[in-house]
């Protein structure tokens, strides 16, 4: 296992769109182990392959208090999202030193595959749903500040951009 360097804003590679994982082989298994090690070492809640300069649809998450419940999602897709959005604070290992309030869908349904190649199909809400949305955004080259709708939190005096879909 190895710690992987995390790309930081404004590195343009963070805006690449990831391609689907073609096979859950030894290379992907090693990548998953390295991503989990890197995420825990950095005290992160989630890490997308994009952030370590691998442009394939793979994310790792751990939203547990004890940091002992890793969730690995290969080829994740958000297949449904509730119309209601809630605002919550986010940070990102690729945007160090900044926090921002981002509106996210309160409930989502997501699919993907686990490291054994078994399909996953789950409904999540609240913080879990927020983290999945944040990490899936990385896979399409979006960082959370691009989802911020209220720029007053950064000292601007008015909202500058309309809400994104
Ligand atoms: Ni992030």
């Amino acid at each position: 296992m190895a710690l992987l360097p995390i790309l930081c804003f404004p590195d343009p590679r963070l805006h690449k769109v990831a391609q689907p994982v073609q096979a859950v082989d030894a290379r992907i298994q090693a990548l998953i182990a390295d991503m989990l090690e890197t995420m825990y070492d950095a005290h992160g809640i989630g890490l997308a392959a994009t952030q370590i300069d691998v442009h394939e649809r793979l994310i790792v998450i751990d939203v547990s208090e004890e940091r002992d419940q890793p969730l690995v999602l290969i080829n994740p897709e958000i297949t449904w999202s509730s119309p209601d959005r809630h605002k919550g604070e986010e940070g990102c290992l690729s945007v160090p030193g900044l926090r921002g309030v981002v509106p996210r869908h309160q409930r989502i349904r997501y699919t993907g595959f686990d490291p054994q190649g078994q399909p996953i199909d789950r409904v999540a809400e609240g913080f879990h749903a927020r983290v999945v949305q944040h990490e899936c955004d990385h896979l399409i080259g979006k960082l959370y500040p691009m989802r911020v709708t209220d720029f007053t939190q950064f000292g601007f005096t008015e909202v500058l951009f309309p809400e994104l879909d």
Side-chain angles (χ1 to χ4, degrees):
M1 301 225 291
L3 292 178
L4 304 166
I6 298 172
L7 301 180
C8 283
F9 180 83
D11 194 308
R13 293 172 290 181
L14 286 167
H15 303 303
K16 286 190 181 181
V17 175
Q19 300 302 308
V21 172
Q22 295 297 331
V24 184
D25 53 14
R27 179 184 67 92
I28 291 292
Q29 298 286 0
L31 187 59
I32 289 167
D34 288 346
M35 284 176 63
L36 285 168
E37 187 181 358
T38 302
M39 176 183 75
Y40 287 121
D41 179 75
H43 306 287
I45 292 160
L47 186 69
T50 305
Q51 293 176 273
I52 45 101
D53 200 24
V54 172
H55 302 283
E56 295 173 67
R57 294 189 63 86
L58 171 61
I59 63 178
V60 297
I61 287 171
D62 191 336
V63 294
S64 70
E65 288 274 316
E66 291 76 23
R67 317 282 295 141
D68 59 357
Q69 291 174 49
L71 170 64
V72 176
L73 282 174
I74 298 162
N75 293 338
E77 298 290 345
I78 295 170
T79 56
W80 173 83
S81 38
S82 66
D84 56 318
R85 292 175 210 230
H86 288 204
K87 290 183 177 177
E89 195 177 85
E90 296 185 20
C92 181
L93 296 174
S94 293
V95 192
L98 190 69
R99 308 279 301 170
V101 175
V102 187
R104 298 283 188 188
H105 300 286
Q106 175 65 5
R107 280 164 61 85
I108 61 167
R109 183 173 181 176
Y110 65 85
T111 60
F113 293 87
D114 74 10
Q116 286 73 46
Q118 295 301 307
I120 291 170
D121 185 349
R122 275 185 207 155
V123 173
E125 64 182 319
F127 189 63
H128 185 149
R130 171 172 298 278
V131 175
V132 172
Q133 289 170 84
H134 176 119
E135 300 309 328
C136 284
D137 265 358
H138 276 297
L139 301 178
I140 56 169
K142 281 195 190 300
L143 297 171
Y144 83 82
M146 300 163 74
R147 298 287 194 196
V148 167
T149 54
D150 177 5
F151 283 80
T152 58
Q153 63 186 287
F154 299 120
F156 295 98
T157 53
E158 58 185 320
V159 174
L160 299 177
F161 297 105
E163 193 159 297
L164 297 170
D165 280 318

